[in-house]
Every structure is written in structure tokens, then in C-alpha cells.
Amino acid sequence: MTAQKAADVTVWQIKQQAEKAATDAAIPQFWITDWLLYVIDKPALFLITDDNYQLSDSETERFNAGMTKMQQGTPLAYLTGTQAFWSLDFTVNEHTLIPRPDTEVLVETVLDWIKSQPFSTTPTLKSMRLLDLGTGSGCIAISLAHELKLADTLKQVSWQVVAVDFSLEALKIAQHNAVSNAVEVTFVHSSWYDELPTQDEQLFDVIVSNPPYIDEADEHLAGLLAEPISALSAPNHGLADIEHIVYYAPQYLKVGGLLAIEHGYDQGQAVRQLFADNHFDNIRTIKDFGGNDRMTLGQFNKH
Ligand code: GLN
């Protein structure tokens, strides 16, 4: 699927050739346009206004090399090293899961919950703590930190955002992303809760996580092999890490605190049951953009 560069082949024609070839390799069409624009370093409109532009030899070479990599299974985000999520840009590499649009539903739901709480509008308050478990690129923690910094209604509340990951390589990327997005996040090298304190004053108001949840036998995994498997798949039909997170959450949450977890489209009922079995109430499952169950939230209630 190489795009040949004859003297009279324009950027528009190269795009069309590559798109045709990509159909056979099941590469999303918009990856081709985005990759082409990335290589020639131009905005999308350029393809309309300058459709006669001819790529230089090095641009053609780079474009073709990327096409070959995508054909072999490398996602676009690993070629460009970046992925848009929420309103922000995140650096990603093979040590981090690529942020998915559906995870924005998790960010939005957590924000809505925070804004609906009395502490968001009571001027006398105090500092709050939010924990992101398995932060990867940091996209959830950083998007939330960004919004919590901006939100007018929350001005009286100062939030400390803590994010953990057991991968030091992922933490490096997450730290970079916090700096590039101008937010403060405390990063901790930890497997789930292991390195976190349980003292009263260190308990969290919110715990959020997008853990690995794909069943190890799920054939969908075959299409995701470029990404870290430890961020995608878990034993026990994909539920092992979610079970761990829900089971120990009561030790790290304030009473009334929120737990919000992303999960698979067919795990809603199992996750709601886990919440119910571990002292949570106000349990709700929220659907993703495709109309599938995608996350469950609940409030820790001691009884
Ligand atoms: N939702 C992602 C997918 O199905 C997986 C993310 C995850 O395992 N946390 O591609």
C-alpha cells in the first residue's frame, strides 16, 4: 500500500490511494488523513486549499513508512506520539494505553457528581482528595485536575489529585503530560492501593479508575496487541482487577465518597453487585457513546 510519488501525484491523490489500500488492511480512514497531515505538518483545510501540493521525497518516505507500520498493527497515536482526550493533548507511547473517547464519559460523570455535592458550593470548605488508579498516560487524572482547577463553582475547594501506576514507564509519560497540561498531580509508583496510606486525614473523596477489564479469551484483544496487555486484560472474565479495586476501596474512601470504575459492556451487572456487596449505595451504571454499559459509580456507605 505504498503511495507512489510520480512527478504529477498530488497530496490529494496520495491520500486517495492510501485510503483505498487501507480499506483492505482495516485501517480507519481518518488515520490516513491525520497521518498525512502530521507528516506534511499542515492543518486539515490544506488538503482542500492546496490539493496540488506535492510531497517531498522525505515526506513521501515517512508517510509510506507509517502506512506500513499501521498495516502491521501500530495505532496512529503511537506514530504521532500523541492523542487528544477531553480538551487536552496527551503524549502516549507503547507503555501507555491510548486514551479512548468512551473514557471521557467517566471524566464527565465524576465531574457531574463532584459539582452536585454540597462541598462544591459551600464556601467554608477545605481540601479534597481524588485518586486515579492505574493512570497510564494520566488522561483521567489530568483532565479532572484541569477541570477542577477551572470550575467556578469549586473555587472554595482545593483538590489534591493523586494518580498511581505500577509501570514506571507509564508514570514518566503521565508526569510529562501533567506538566504539558499545566496541572498538579501527585504521582505514586504503586500497584493499585499498595503504597497508599490509610490514615483518616489521607482518605479520598473520590476514587476513579479505568482498569484492565477485557476477558483474557476475548478475540477483541487480538486487534489491540500494540498496547500494553497489562492495561487491557485481566483474569476472571476481565473482572479480577475491578474486584480488587472495589473490595479495598472502603479502606481508602471517606464515608460518602465516590467510587467510579470503567468496565466492559457486559460487566455492568457484575460490577453493580460488587459495589452492593462492599458497602456502596446510590449505585448507577452509565452508558458510553455507543449505548453500551461502560462505567459504574457508587457512594461508600459504612453500614
Ligand atoms: N475500552 C478499551 C477497549 O475495549 C479497553 C480499555 C481497558 O481495558 N481499560 O479497547
Side-chain angles (χ1 to χ4, degrees):
M1 70 149 73
T2 50
Q4 272 140 37
K5 185 179 170 271
D8 56 350
V9 175
T10 64
V11 67
W12 187 254
Q13 287 164 329
I14 284 181
K15 176 176 171 296
Q16 284 190 321
Q17 281 172 15
E19 280 173 355
K20 218 172 188 183
T23 314
D24 304 329
I27 299 173
Q29 299 273 305
F30 75 92
W31 282 15
I32 316 272
T33 316
D34 285 2
W35 176 236
L36 186 56
L37 292 169
Y38 180 84
V39 168
I40 61 174
D41 193 20
K42 297 282 188 272
L45 195 62
F46 184 83
L47 294 177
I48 312 289
T49 55
D50 290 74
D51 59 344
N52 282 324
Y53 173 81
Q54 291 179 24
L55 274 69
S56 71
D57 286 347
S58 68
E59 285 172 339
T60 307
E61 210 173 290
R62 194 165 175 210
F63 177 74
N64 285 338
M67 288 301 299
T68 305
K69 282 199 163 161
M70 286 196 264
Q71 203 174 12
Q72 292 163 349
T74 303
L76 173 71
Y78 287 163
L79 292 182
T80 61
T82 174
Q83 176 67 44
F85 178 84
W86 200 246
S87 59
L88 307 172
D89 279 324
F90 290 88
T91 293
V92 293
N93 68 13
E94 71 280 8
H95 300 293
T96 67
L97 191 74
I98 299 167
R100 312 285 206 263
D102 286 329
T103 302
E104 294 180 1
V105 175
L106 184 63
V107 171
E108 192 168 24
T109 305
V110 169
L111 271 178
D112 285 349
W113 183 86
I114 288 173
K115 288 178 188 172
S116 75
Q117 295 304 298
F119 58 70
S120 291
T121 45
T122 311
T124 50
L125 282 156
K126 71 172 189 198
S127 67
M128 315 289 289
R129 282 164 56 80
L130 181 147
L131 171 67
D132 175 24
L133 289 170
T135 198
S137 66
C139 66
I140 297 171
I142 292 166
S143 300
L144 285 168
H146 172 81
E147 292 300 324
L148 294 171
K149 200 169 90 171
L150 291 183
D152 280 346
T153 51
L154 302 175
K155 265 187 186 146
Q156 308 299 335
V157 184
S158 99
W159 279 89
Q160 188 193 8
V161 177
V162 178
V164 313
D165 206 288
F166 76 95
S167 161
L168 278 171
E169 300 293 342
L171 282 179
K172 262 190 240 168
I173 298 291
Q175 233 142 10
H176 167 88
N177 283 326
V179 172
S180 65
N181 286 299
V183 297
E184 269 181 45
V185 174
T186 305
F187 292 101
V188 180
H189 183 214
S190 173
S191 173
W192 305 127
Y193 303 100
D194 286 1
E195 307 303 323
L196 297 170
T198 49
Q199 289 97 322
D200 270 2
E201 68 277 11
Q202 308 252 34
L203 295 177
F204 291 94
D205 300 277
V206 175
I207 298 178
V208 61
S209 183
N210 174 16
Y213 55 72
I214 302 176
D215 186 340
E216 288 166 319
D218 192 327
E219 52 193 35
H220 174 62
L221 272 180
L224 303 173
L225 290 181
E227 294 180 271
I229 189 79
S230 58
L232 287 165
S233 177
N236 191 17
H237 305 290
L239 286 166
D241 290 297
I242 293 181
E243 283 169 352
H244 181 91
I245 291 169
V246 179
Y247 183 81
Y248 288 101
Q251 293 181 27
Y252 296 87
L253 273 174
K254 292 179 192 165
V255 174
L258 179 77
L259 177 64
I261 300 187
E262 180 170 325
H263 55 69
Y265 69 95
D266 55 355
Q267 293 170 334
Q269 201 186 345
V271 177
R272 283 193 299 278
Q273 190 59 51
L274 273 172
F275 273 61
D277 292 345
N278 287 282
H279 313 283
F280 286 86
D281 56 18
N282 296 326
I283 302 163
R284 281 189 293 143
T285 295
I286 310 282
K287 292 189 189 303
D288 61 20
F289 298 122
N292 297 309
D293 284 357
R294 185 56 59 195
M295 58 155 299
T296 292
L297 67 160
Q299 274 178 281
F300 173 46
N301 186 340
K302 233 174 187 160
H303 323 299

